Amino acid sequence: MHSLLIGKLSVGLRMQILDGKKAAQAIKDELRIDVAQRANEGKKIPHLAAVLVGNNGASETYVAAKVKACEETGFKSTLIRLDADISEYKLLEVIEELNTDTDVDGILVQLPLPKHIDDKKVINAIHPDKDVDGFHPVSVGKMVEGIPSYIPATPYGIMLLLEHYKIETKGKHAVVIGRSNIVGRPMSILLSGNSNPGNCTVTICHSHTKNLKEICLQGDIIVAALGIPEFVKGDMVKEGAVVIDVGITRVQDSTRKSGFRLKGDVDFEAVAPHCSWITPVPGGVGPMTIAALMKNTFNSCAAKN
Ligand code: NAD
């Protein structure tokens, strides 16, 4: 549906698509060459270990996509599946084994975890040197200080996407909707940093923000990461804005074999005509998140070997 709409809108309008699939492919292609070169030189190739607890459908899909990306780029991957009722203690033991396994460069624990497990405890148990998801407090602290570190994959992917399409961010007003530790908050830090992309004036909004529509209307760049399908409407976006849709929600769709389809946090059809650039869902931020994870894992391997 998007491609039809995109075709229609492209005629006579300047709206362009930030194609995450294409940009992610370019990053993975580069990584594949770098990995092949390492292999030729007899150096270690990157190894990502993914831990999946339970059988949540969305988590299964995300982990499968990450394992596939490893195959495409020539990385080694290990998928560790654990029962939903595994104890927190046992899970921490698994993490410790991966921490001490010298062949493993990056560890990712797919979130969310079952309710009886404290995800903060699990994240904190990952050795900072292998924290390729960038959620460990050491990684977060370094990111805030501007010290090179693992940046959380989704905000890092968005920065790479802005870089890929040479979107000017300096001096722009960025409105970030959502303040989670994995998307909104790190996004606001990165966009406000003295970097390129970056150097934005950032407003971070959340569930208690008043006058959200007025704030969004001031945004040259809007990053929507709240998890409410089609929350951002056409009348919330100023002409020429760059809109990044992070949201992924499965909504029921009986016409699909899967029984659902993915919806972003932005009402694409209503918002797109106002934008200079916009990400689609799917095919926008999602693939970039995976590309960023691959980059973090490659860097971990290269730094240690
Ligand atoms: P979260 O539930 O942890 O955080 C949501 C944030 O939105 C909160 O900070 C909350 O204050 C804010 N919020 C909620 N209702 C609001 C409202 N009415 N107005 C303003 N702010 C409001 O979610 P998250 O983990 O940050 O994820 C957000 C969305 O992004 C979800 O749809 C998730 O599936 C998606 N996501 C996508 C990727 C990807 O790779 N594309 C990665 C991570 C998350």
Side-chain angles (χ1 to χ4, degrees):
M1 183 189 77
H2 277 157
S3 57
L4 275 178
L5 181 73
I6 291 158
K8 207 165 76 186
L9 290 167
S10 315
V11 182
L13 287 173
R14 61 204 167 90
M15 185 279 290
Q16 294 181 77
I17 292 293
L18 289 164
D19 188 334
K21 233 173 149 177
K22 242 190 211 164
Q25 193 57 55
I27 291 168
K28 286 188 288 184
D29 287 346
E30 269 176 35
L31 285 172
R32 198 180 50 235
I33 293 167
D34 292 343
V35 171
Q37 195 178 329
R38 285 186 70 83
N40 280 342
E41 292 167 359
K43 290 181 179 163
K44 183 184 180 310
I45 60 165
H47 180 182
L48 176 69
V51 180
L52 177 60
V53 182
N55 50 9
N56 173 292
S59 295
E60 289 268 1
T61 309
Y62 298 144
V63 168
K66 290 165 188 177
V67 169
K68 185 168 166 246
C70 285
E71 284 161 14
E72 287 169 2
T73 43
F75 287 25
K76 189 172 164 188
S77 69
T78 302
L79 172 57
I80 298 164
R81 288 176 170 278
L82 301 169
D83 291 336
D85 61 358
I86 189 172
S87 70
E88 184 181 277
Y89 181 79
K90 262 268 170 239
L91 176 57
L92 291 171
E93 272 188 348
V94 172
I95 304 289
E96 194 42 35
E97 272 172 37
L98 295 172
N99 280 340
T100 51
D101 183 338
T102 51
D103 194 59
V104 171
D105 300 298
I107 303 169
L108 91 83
V109 178
Q110 188 63 44
L111 301 178
L113 289 168
K115 287 208 162 42
H116 66 279
I117 297 176
D118 179 351
D119 52 2
K120 276 212 170 89
K121 227 186 211 176
V122 173
I123 288 165
N124 292 2
I126 296 171
H127 193 287
D129 288 349
K130 300 190 180 189
D131 175 38
V132 289
D133 251 342
F135 298 156
H136 192 284
V138 168
S139 307
V140 177
K142 285 184 175 174
M143 177 186 65
V144 172
E145 290 270 337
I147 299 167
S149 69
Y150 302 115
I151 297 169
T154 300
Y156 184 24
I158 293 169
M159 296 299 271
L160 292 170
L161 187 63
L162 293 170
E163 193 180 351
H164 182 87
Y165 282 97
K166 300 187 172 51
I167 304 295
E168 180 61 80
T169 58
K170 189 165 70 179
K172 299 284 161 96
H173 182 190
V175 175
V176 178
I177 315 172
R179 60 176 165 189
S180 74
N181 288 339
I182 64 167
V183 190
R185 201 176 293 271
M187 192 74 251
S188 68
I189 292 164
L190 294 170
L191 285 172
S192 61
N194 187 3
S195 57
N196 183 25
N199 281 313
C200 290
T201 303
V202 177
T203 303
I204 182 158
C205 303
H206 47 76
S207 48
H208 295 278
T209 299
K210 295 203 165 74
N211 306 325
L212 187 76
K213 180 178 165 185
E214 285 70 22
I215 295 169
C216 284
L217 277 166
Q218 293 168 25
D220 302 306
I221 299 167
I222 297 175
V223 181
L226 66 162
I228 303 179
E230 300 189 332
F231 179 88
V232 178
K233 304 289 183 199
D235 64 356
M236 293 167 74
V237 177
K238 79 170 174 190
E239 294 303 311
V242 175
V243 174
I244 312 283
D245 189 352
V246 184
I248 311 177
T249 306
R250 288 181 168 199
V251 295
Q252 243 187 328
D253 184 347
S254 54
T255 66
R256 300 270 171 117
K257 208 173 141 200
S258 61
F260 68 87
R261 68 194 158 112
L262 299 180
K263 276 217 183 245
D265 288 348
V266 174
D267 181 348
F268 185 91
E269 293 188 27
V271 169
H274 299 285
C275 298
S276 54
W277 295 90
I278 186 168
T279 59
V281 174
V285 174
M288 292 308 294
T289 296
I290 295 175
L293 173 75
M294 296 292 116
K295 264 182 99 83
N296 277 343
T297 308
F298 182 88
N299 291 341
S300 170
C301 174
K304 287 195 284 284
N305 303 278

